Amino acid sequence: MEKDYSFILYDKVSDLPQAWDALAISNIFLSTRYLSVLEISAPTNMRCHFIGLFEKEELVGIALSQFLDLNLLESFGERDRCIKTSVRNFIFKRFSSHVLFIGNNMLTGQNAFAIKDGTDCTSAIKTLRKASVSLTESFQKSGKKVHLVTFKDFEAAEISKFKKAGYSDYFKFSTQPNMVLGIRSGWMTFDDYVSDLLKKYRDQFKRARKKSEGLEKRKMHLEDIVKYENTIYDLYHHVAKNAPFNTFFLAENHFRTLKEKLRDDFLFYGYFDDGKLVGFNTLIKNGCVLDTYFLGYDESVQREKMLYLNMLYDMIAYCINKGFKKIVFARTALEIKSSVGAEPVEMFGFMKHRNTLVNKKLDHVFDYLEPKIEWQQRHPFKEAL
């Protein structure tokens, strides 16, 4: 039986109900600690709201929304320069520059909402839709017309919930997969992982480690992150602007703020060459799951030292040594992540355009909005699970 839930929109973490973190217990990315990071250091073209779902006076659901103004971007990504890219950029600027996400566009996975046990999921998702309408109206009053409303990222098993909740006028889309490595029960140490690799991929591992000789890896604390903040941002920005597509760029104080708020749950590792910071990667502990976050590197060092691949091996080693169940590598660099054992998990979302005519053609338009990447899945282990 469907329930009648209400919602309240918040734009300050300090205003959130006291019971909020009890519902976020299984997902750090909905916790007040993480949401306060977004409040303090979200990308300059992003505005966040926090949604509380209520059954009478009781908080039964929590959600995150992000409004992105793509007109404020310096670049959509500089790696690919072709006619199709130009058409995509035109479509975004002309028809889809204001996007409202229910979910977190900075992450991959279901970080959109959480509900209390016993809460009717269909009713909750219906209420989230009402909240998105209210947000759209609020932005319009402030002079920002929302062109596109998007709910992201959901696995196949969750799609039926949206169908039951009446999202038939939304376009269901599939994005690039989330790359996830499940830690096998037999991997007590990183050496066990390496032993399970086929010879070709063990040789890849050995070659990468040989290439990385001379690099020093350091765990960096808050004072280190503050000290190297300008270099860190330059390294991040180099990687970000050379990605195929961007909808935001991080604020310069983002990593500092993450460390201040998440403390030991946020890990920052720097890679130094002759005392100079030439790369970094970041990890966030999310219960029994380890999420990879943003990274950066000097391109010349990356090529010479196979730095990115070495970072992947280092993150896997940490995951195994600390007893995590899986590591989420997200949705970039699919093939190289596949070569270290990550498996693709298909992700889905729902979107609706405010222009009825454009909405009917979203299946065609989406091919331009979501760049297709051709890649070959690798199978690096001796035996499949």
Side-chain angles (χ1 to χ4, degrees), residues 128-183:
L128 279 180
R129 180 173 177 170
K130 292 176 184 176
S132 73
V133 171
S134 179
L135 280 165
T136 299
E137 291 171 349
S138 176
F139 278 113
Q140 180 146 353
K141 287 176 184 175
S142 66
K144 297 277 190 182
K145 287 186 178 179
V146 174
H147 299 124
L148 202 62
V149 176
T150 302
F151 291 73
K152 71 176 287 283
D153 284 321
F154 306 99
E155 295 185 21
E158 299 172 293
I159 296 304
S160 60
K161 299 172 185 176
F162 284 85
K163 290 181 178 176
K164 287 180 183 175
Y167 280 64
S168 58
D169 55 341
Y170 279 67
F171 168 61
K172 185 186 85 171
F173 63 91
S174 176
T175 60
Q176 293 169 30
N178 188 9
M179 300 301 288
V180 180
L181 175 64
I183 304 304

Side-chain angles (χ1 to χ4, degrees), residues 21-85:
D21 279 332
L23 271 66
I25 193 72
S26 62
N27 190 346
I28 195 173
F29 297 114
L30 288 169
S31 71
T32 55
R33 287 192 298 153
Y34 176 78
L35 297 183
S36 66
V37 174
L38 295 183
E39 184 178 50
I40 296 167
S41 67
T44 55
N45 69 325
M46 177 185 290
R47 185 176 171 195
C48 297
H49 284 87
F50 319 116
I51 306 167
L53 305 181
F54 293 86
E55 183 174 15
K56 296 180 180 176
E57 303 298 317
E58 182 186 9
L59 182 71
V60 296
I62 57 176
L64 169 66
S65 79
Q66 294 177 335
F67 171 80
L68 269 74
D69 185 346
L70 303 182
N71 291 315
L72 301 178
L73 271 188
E74 59 183 272
S75 163
F76 284 132
E78 297 176 4
R79 194 187 78 182
D80 300 333
R81 295 182 181 276
C82 60
I83 292 174
K84 186 169 182 177
T85 302

